[in-house]
């Protein structure tokens, strides 16, 4: 692959694909606080104060979207309020767009109130 240029073509394709997916994420999540690098296949989405990371992950999962909560990456007691979006996981851009649209819909919702057991 190195000699015939296949590796270079694959790397070029991957860079182009991630760039396109980053553009999509920024377009769909416009106005949200995002942290990423243009060549990264991941985006850190900082959540509004009304959401904890774990509540948001649960709400997104109820819509069929699997995210990683900040607690999965945190060391120590500090738990930033955010989730990691993996842009490379959906096989197609259409699949990514559907997942990101569900993330946006989840952001617009309110966390469910805790239920007390007496």
């Amino acid at each position: 692959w190195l000699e015939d240029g296949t590796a270079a073509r694959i790397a070029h394709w991957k860079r182009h694909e991630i760039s396109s997916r980053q553009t999509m994420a920024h377009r769909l999540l416009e106005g949200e606080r995002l942290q990423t690098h243009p060549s990264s296949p991941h985006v850190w989405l900082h959540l509004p104060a009304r959401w904890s990371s774990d509540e948001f992950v649960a709400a997104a999962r109820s819509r069929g979207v699997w995210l990683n909560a900040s607690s999965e990456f945190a060391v120590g007691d500090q738990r930033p309020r955010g989730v990691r979006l993996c842009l490379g996981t959906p096989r197609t851009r259409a699949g990514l767009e559907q997942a990101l649209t569900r993330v946006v819909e989840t952001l617009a919702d309110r966390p469910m109130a805790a239920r007390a057991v007496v």
Side-chain angles (χ1 to χ4, degrees), residues 12-69:
H12 174 76
W13 178 85
K14 285 186 176 193
R15 283 191 297 274
H16 176 72
E17 187 65 21
I18 289 301
S19 175
S20 296
R21 288 172 181 239
Q22 279 275 345
T23 299
M24 179 189 298
H26 283 276
R27 177 178 50 82
L28 293 172
L29 293 164
E30 184 177 5
E32 299 300 332
R33 189 169 158 226
L34 305 176
Q35 187 175 345
T36 189
H37 184 276
S39 62
S40 175
H42 302 101
V43 174
W44 186 260
L45 170 63
H46 296 271
L47 296 171
R50 69 181 180 273
W51 285 106
S52 75
S53 295
D54 293 331
E55 289 171 330
F56 190 81
V57 165
R61 284 185 181 166
S62 74
R63 292 178 183 264
V65 179
W66 289 77
L67 306 172
N68 297 101

Side-chain angles (χ1 to χ4, degrees), residues 3 5-6 23 28-29 45 48 56 58-60 70 76-77 84 88 95-97 102 105-106 108-109 112 114 117:
E3 291 176 6
T6 300
T23 299
L28 293 172
L29 293 164
L45 170 63
F56 190 81
S70 61
D77 294 332
R84 186 181 81 158
L96 176 62
E97 185 167 7
R102 290 178 183 179
E105 292 168 354
T106 305
D109 286 346
M112 294 191 56
V117 177

